Amino acid sequence: MNSVTNVLIVGVGGQGVILASEILAEAALKIGLDVKKSEVHGMAQRGGAVSSHVRFGSEVHSPLIGVGDADVILAFEALEALRWAHCANRDATILVNDMRLVPPTAFASKGTKYPDDPFAELEKLGRRAIKIPADEVSRELGNVRLANTILLGSLSQRLEIPVTVWLETIEARVPKKTIALNREAFERGRAFLQ
Amino acid sequence: MKKLLSGDEAVAFGAWRAGVKFASAYPGTPSTEILETFARLPGIYAEWAPNEKVAVEVGIGSALAGVRTLVAMKHVGVNVAADPLMTFTYTGLNAGFVLVSADDPEMHSSQNEQDNRIFARFAGMPLLEPSDSQEAYDYIAYAFDLSEKFDLPVMLRLTTRLAHSKTVVDVQEETLEVAQRTFRRDIKKYVMMPIFAIPRHRALLERLASVQEESERSSVQNIEMQDSELGVITSGVAYQYARELLSTASFLKLGLTNPLPAEMIRHFAQRVKRLLVIEELEPYLEEQVRALGIECEGKKFTSRLGELTPERLAVALEKVGIKAAFAGTPTEPLPTLGRPPVLCPGCAHRAVFTALKATGAHVFGDIGCYTLAALPPLEMLHTCFCMGASIGNAVGVAKAGNSLKPIVAVIGDSTFVHSGITGLVEAVYNDARITIIIVDNGTTAMTGGQDHPATGKTLMGIEATRLDFETLCKAVGVKHVWRLNPLKLDDFEKSLRGSFLVEGPAVIIAEHPCQLYPIRQERVPMVVEAEFCNGCGACLRVGCSALLVTGELSSEGLPKVTIDSELCTGCEVCAWVCKPVAIKFPAAEEVMNE
Ligand SMILES: Cc1ncc(C[n+]2csc(CCOP(=O)(O)OP(=O)(O)O)c2C)c(N)n1
C-alpha cells in the first residue's frame, strides 16, 4: 500500500474551513506530493456544516477519505468535531477549536440538543481530542480571522510538511499587512502541541 | 506547470487551451464555476443565458458560425435544453460544440439525481467521463476533436465529486492550433423539417457507427491487466474508488462511454474470471455489457442511490465476497444535533415568509435560497419541483377550485427570468386568482451570486439593458402589480392581504438586495432589552442565526434571547414578531460609547 495521509477539516460555513484546506493542499503540492482535496460547495455559505477532505502521498486515487480512515481531524467548532469523530481512525488526533456555535434551529429540534460538554462526549467515544483555544488567542492577537492560522499551526505538528513551506503558503494567501501577525499566530498554534 | 484545479476549473482552462472562443451557460451547482473561471481568461466571449435551453441555442449558433463553443449546465439543465439538443445531433455542426453536464449524485444541492449518461445515449451524443481534473483538462480538447471529426455535439460529464474536488493538473502554456471556419448555408443539414430530418436521422446513426470505431481504439479507453481472477469495468470517479480498494484487480477504465467499445469489452471479459461493473447511479454500463451477452455483476452489489464512497464500495464488495483494501471502519455517525443551512441574517426572504405566515396563505415554492423556507422554523412552502414550477402549480391549485385559502406562488428573480415568465402568461391568460411574489434580491444567490438579465450586468462585467419586472408584468396583462420593500413589514403584509382580494392574478415584486451578493450590505445591529424579553420564542421562529438563547430565564421561566452583534444586520424582522417590543436599535448614545 502506498502511504497516503488523510486530513479531514470540519466546521461551520463561513469559518474558513475551505481556505484552510486549500492551504494544506497547496503546501503538500509544494513538497512534490500528489494531492486530492474534496468538499461540496453550495450550502456552505449559509451556516451549514462543512467538511473538506485532504489526501496526499506519492499517489492518491480516491478524492474522499473513507469513514474511519482519517489520520487527523481538525475541527473549527466543538459540535462539528463530534459530528465527524467517527471518520477518524483509532490512532487519530482530533484537534478541536475550543468554541461552540449553537445552530439557530437548535431550539426547534426535538430530541438531540447541543451537548453540554462536547469534549467529554469525545472522550466517552475513546477519541483522543486536543482542545486548541484558537478563538481566544486570535482575540488576544487582535484579529478573529487569525483563528484559522492558529489551527493550521497546531495541525502542522501532526504532519510532515516543513514549517517554511507552511508559512510560504499561508503568506501567499493573506493580506500583506497581516503577514507578521499570521506568523505569530502560526507559532502560537504550534506551541499547543508537541 | 502543476496546479491544483477543481474539475470545473480544469474544464475552463482545458477549453481555453482547445481554442474555445465562445461559452454560454446558466448557473447551477456544481457547474457554475466553469463559466466563472472561463470568463476571466483572455480573448474569449462568455455569457450567462437566461436559461439552459437558450444557452444551447446560442451555442448552436456560434458553432454553426464556425467558433469552438462550450455550453455548461447542471444535470437538470439538460432537461430544459433537451429540445434543441435532441435535434442538434441530427444536424451536426461546423466548429466543435461540447456540452458539459455536471451531475449531482447524492443530491448535494439538487432536486433529483438523474444520470445524464442516459441522456447522451438518448440524444446520440458521444460521451466522455473524466475521473479527475487532469482528465477533465485533457478530455475537453479531445471532445472538440471528436465533435469536429464526427460532426456531432459531444457531452462531457462531470459529477459533483469531480467538479468540486481539486486534483493536480499539468497546465500547458500554449493553446492548440484550431482550423478557421466560416458559416455556410446548408438547408438540408440545418433546416429540420421532415423532408430533411429523415435523412439526417439516418446520418446520425452512421456517424455514431463511426464514433463506435473510434471508441474501440481511443486512447481514453485503458486496459490495466493485473490479476486475472477479478476484472472491473468502470468510468468516472467510480474508477478512483475501485482502483484504491481493489489494488490487484484488472481494470477496463472507460473514458468514452457512448458509444461503448463492444469489442474491447468482449476482449477484456474473456481475459478475467469474474467481471464486475462499478458505477454510480444507473446501471448504464452494466446493461450494455449484458446486452453484449456478457455475464457481469453490477447493481446487484452497488446501489443505484447516491454517490459511491470508499466505505460504501467496501461494504458493497464484501456483500459479494470480495475483500477490499479498506483501511477504515464503516461506522455510522453519532446522532448529533443537525446544522442545516439557513437563510442569512438580514435576508429579505425571511421577511416575505414571515408576512406570509401571518396571512395563513397556501404557498407554492420554487428553487433558490427561499426554498429553505420549507423547513422549520418557517415551514411555509408546499412544493418545490423545478425552476419556474411555482406559478403553474399555484394556477393548478386555484383552478382545481377546492382551496379556501389564498394561493401564492413565490419565485426568485433569476428563476422568474429562467422559466417563470411563461407561467405568468398562463396565469393571466387563464385568469387564475393567485398572488405571485417575485422575491427580487438582485442576484442569483443560491449558486453564489451570478448576474442575470434583471441585474443590468453581464458575466463579463459589462452594463446591460435591465429587464424591468413591473413593465414586463403589466405588458403581459397583469392588472395589479405592487413594488415593495419586504423589510417594511407592515406595508408588505397589508399589500399582501390586498392582493388576495384581486379577482385575477396579482404580482408583488418584493425588492431588497441580497445580504451577500454582489457586495455585503451595511449592518446596524439591534439589541434585546433583557428586562422586556419574556422568552416567548416568537423571534426564534423566524430562523435567524443572529438570535441566540441566553442561559437566563424570564419570569415565565422561559429562556431569554440575545442578539449576536457580529451577525445581526438590523433587518427588524425579529422585532416585528416581538410582542413585548424588546428588540430595538441601541439608543444613539450607546452606539457612540462603543
Ligand atoms: C434547470 C435548473 N438550472 C439551474 C438550477 C440551479 N439553481 C437552483 S436555484 C437557482 C437560482 C436561484 O436564484 P433566484 O431565483 O434569484 O433565487 P435566490 O437564490 O437569489 O433567492 C439556480 C440557478 C436548477 N435547480 N435547475
Side-chain angles (χ1 to χ4, degrees), chain A residues 37-38 46 55 67 80 101, chain B residues 161 165-166 339 342 445:
Chain A
K37 171 183 116 85
S38 186
R46 289 151 198 92
R55 310 190 70 214
V67 167
E80 296 312 307
L101 285 171
Chain B
R161 198 51 66 190
S165 290
K166 289 202 171 182
R339 194 187 293 278
V342 288

Side-chain angles (χ1 to χ4, degrees), chain B residues 86 371 540:
Chain B
M86 294 298 291
T371 315
L540 294 173

Side-chain angles (χ1 to χ4, degrees), chain A residues 12 22 36-41 45-46 48-49 55 61-62 64 66-68 77 80 83 86 101 107 109 112, chain B residues 33 108 161 164-167 240-241 243-244 310-311 327-329 331 333 335 337 339 341-342 369 445 516 540:
Chain A
V12 179
E22 302 249 304
K36 287 192 175 172
K37 171 183 116 85
S38 186
E39 72 260 328
V40 171
H41 319 174
Q45 201 50 264
R46 289 151 198 92
R55 310 190 70 214
H61 285 294
S62 164
L64 285 175
V67 167
E77 196 271 350
E80 296 312 307
R83 186 185 321 284
H86 68 292
L101 285 171
F107 79 95
S109 147
T112 32
Chain B
E33 293 91 333
H108 293 287
R161 198 51 66 190
H164 285 176
S165 290
K166 289 202 171 182
T167 71
Q240 304 290 359
Y241 303 129
R243 193 69 183 69
E244 183 151 324
E311 61 281 356
T329 34
T331 39
L337 177 64
R339 194 187 293 278
V342 288
C369 288
L516 292 179
L540 294 173

Side-chain angles (χ1 to χ4, degrees), chain A residues 1 4 11-13 22 25-26 29 33-43 45-49 53 55 59-69 77 79-80 82-83 85-89 101-109 112-115 121 125 127 144 173, chain B residues 2-4 29 33 108-109 131-132 160-161 164-168 237 239-241 243-244 307-311 325-342 344 369 372 376-377 445-448 516-517 520 537 540-541 543-545 547-549:
Chain A
M1 273 221 37
V4 172
V12 179
E22 302 249 304
E26 276 169 26
L29 179 67
L33 297 176
D34 188 17
V35 189
K36 287 192 175 172
K37 171 183 116 85
S38 186
E39 72 260 328
V40 171
H41 319 174
M43 294 296 186
Q45 201 50 264
R46 289 151 198 92
H53 298 229
R55 310 190 70 214
E59 189 184 21
V60 181
H61 285 294
S62 164
L64 285 175
I65 301 169
V67 167
D69 200 17
E77 196 271 350
L79 174 66
E80 296 312 307
L82 210 49
R83 186 185 321 284
H86 68 292
C87 294
N89 69 36
L101 285 171
V102 180
T105 46
F107 79 95
S109 147
T112 32
K113 290 271 168 267
Y114 196 103
E121 305 281 326
L125 295 171
R127 295 298 181 173
V144 283
R173 286 292 198 136
Chain B
K2 288 205 165 169
K3 277 189 175 173
L4 272 174
T29 315
E33 293 91 333
H108 293 287
S109 36
S131 74
D132 61 19
T160 301
R161 198 51 66 190
H164 285 176
S165 290
K166 289 202 171 182
T167 71
V168 184
V237 75
Y239 164 77
Q240 304 290 359
Y241 303 129
R243 193 69 183 69
E244 183 151 324
E307 274 191 289
L308 221 45
T309 61
E311 61 281 356
F326 183 63
T329 34
T331 39
E332 289 299 313
L334 279 182
T336 16
L337 177 64
R339 194 187 293 278
V342 288
C344 302
C369 288
L372 291 171
M446 182 84 236
T447 46
L516 292 179
Y517 308 111
R520 210 172 264 274
L540 294 173
R541 279 186 284 280
C544 176
S545 49
L547 294 163
L548 307 169
V549 177

Side-chain angles (χ1 to χ4, degrees), chain B residues 24-275:
Chain B
S24 183
Y26 179 74
T29 315
S31 70
T32 314
E33 293 91 333
I34 297 172
L35 267 260
E36 288 182 328
T37 306
F38 188 75
R40 290 196 294 267
L41 300 174
I44 53 92
Y45 171 81
E47 60 158 46
W48 294 129
N51 68 29
E52 293 86 351
K53 177 174 183 283
V54 177
V56 166
E57 289 158 349
V58 168
I60 291 173
S62 93
L64 295 195
V67 174
R68 284 194 164 185
T69 299
L70 181 78
V71 175
M73 57 194 61
K74 70 183 287 165
H75 60 331
V76 286
V78 179
N79 301 336
V80 178
D83 211 0
L85 275 176
M86 294 298 291
T87 302
F88 190 27
T89 47
Y90 283 25
T91 68
L93 34 78
N94 182 15
F97 177 108
V98 175
L99 173 80
V100 180
S101 168
D103 293 10
D104 190 15
E106 197 80 22
M107 297 177 262
H108 293 287
S109 36
S110 305
Q111 66 269 36
N112 77 20
E113 55 180 348
Q114 68 188 53
D115 186 336
N116 276 2
R117 296 180 300 173
I118 294 171
F119 232 121
R121 192 155 181 249
F122 185 27
M125 277 184 277
L127 169 65
L128 290 166
E129 289 187 76
S131 74
D132 61 19
S133 300
Q134 180 69 60
E135 286 183 357
Y137 184 78
D138 295 337
Y139 284 14
I140 269 285
Y142 180 52
F144 279 97
D145 289 343
L146 288 179
S147 175
E148 287 170 3
K149 184 167 170 198
F150 298 102
D151 196 17
L152 280 168
V154 171
M155 179 189 285
L156 183 127
R157 177 188 185 245
L158 295 178
T159 53
T160 301
R161 198 51 66 190
L162 296 166
H164 285 176
S165 290
K166 289 202 171 182
T167 71
V168 184
V169 180
D170 199 356
V171 180
Q172 306 298 309
E173 293 297 327
E174 62 275 17
T175 59
L176 302 168
E177 279 293 322
V178 179
Q180 294 286 329
R181 295 163 190 260
T182 47
F183 182 74
R184 208 167 35 85
R185 181 169 189 263
D186 185 348
I187 62 165
K188 287 188 183 160
K189 193 161 179 275
Y190 299 127
V191 178
M192 288 300 93
M193 52 208 281
I195 182 175
F196 301 136
I198 291 165
R200 286 309 295 175
H201 190 191
R202 182 184 310 282
L204 167 61
L205 300 187
E206 286 162 8
R207 281 172 287 153
L208 285 171
S210 314
V211 189
Q212 162 93 47
E213 282 168 34
E214 166 83 17
S215 181
E216 298 286 0
R217 47 189 165 73
S218 167
S219 63
V220 300
Q221 321 287 43
N222 285 315
I223 292 185
E224 302 166 11
M225 277 318 285
Q226 298 191 89
D227 187 357
S228 61
E229 286 297 312
L230 191 65
V232 179
I233 301 179
T234 183
S235 65
V237 75
Y239 164 77
Q240 304 290 359
Y241 303 129
R243 193 69 183 69
E244 183 151 324
L245 296 187
L246 300 169
S247 47
T248 59
S250 294
F251 276 80
L252 171 55
K253 176 191 179 294
L254 298 172
L256 174 53
T257 50
N258 187 51
L260 287 177
E263 281 316 309
M264 200 178 212
I265 291 170
R266 279 205 186 90
H267 176 71
F268 180 73
Q270 276 161 10
R271 290 169 73 186
V272 296
K273 287 221 181 78
R274 186 173 179 187
L275 185 62

Side-chain angles (χ1 to χ4, degrees), chain B residues 26-29 52 74 76-77 80 111 349 367-370 387 411-416 418 439 441 443-447 452:
Chain B
Y26 179 74
T29 315
E52 293 86 351
K74 70 183 287 165
V76 286
V80 178
Q111 66 269 36
H349 295 340
I367 307 197
C369 288
Y370 48 96
M387 292 188 70
I411 184 165
D413 47 344
S414 189
T415 304
F416 179 70
H418 178 282
V439 284
N441 57 4
T443 189
T444 316
M446 182 84 236
T447 46
H452 59 68

Side-chain angles (χ1 to χ4, degrees), chain B residues 483-543:
Chain B
R483 202 169 185 149
L484 303 164
N485 175 357
L487 293 186
K488 300 218 156 50
L489 263 163
D490 285 333
D491 281 355
F492 190 76
E493 192 206 336
K494 223 179 280 158
S495 305
L496 195 52
R497 290 185 192 278
S499 77
F500 299 158
L501 305 175
V502 170
E503 287 291 337
V507 174
I508 296 178
I509 304 162
E511 286 177 322
H512 193 270
C514 172
Q515 197 55 37
L516 292 179
Y517 308 111
I519 45 159
R520 210 172 264 274
Q521 301 290 306
E522 291 279 329
R523 305 183 304 115
V524 188
M526 302 186 82
V527 291
V528 181
E529 295 190 344
E531 67 268 35
F532 297 114
C533 175
N534 62 8
C536 71
C539 58
L540 294 173
R541 279 186 284 280
V542 305

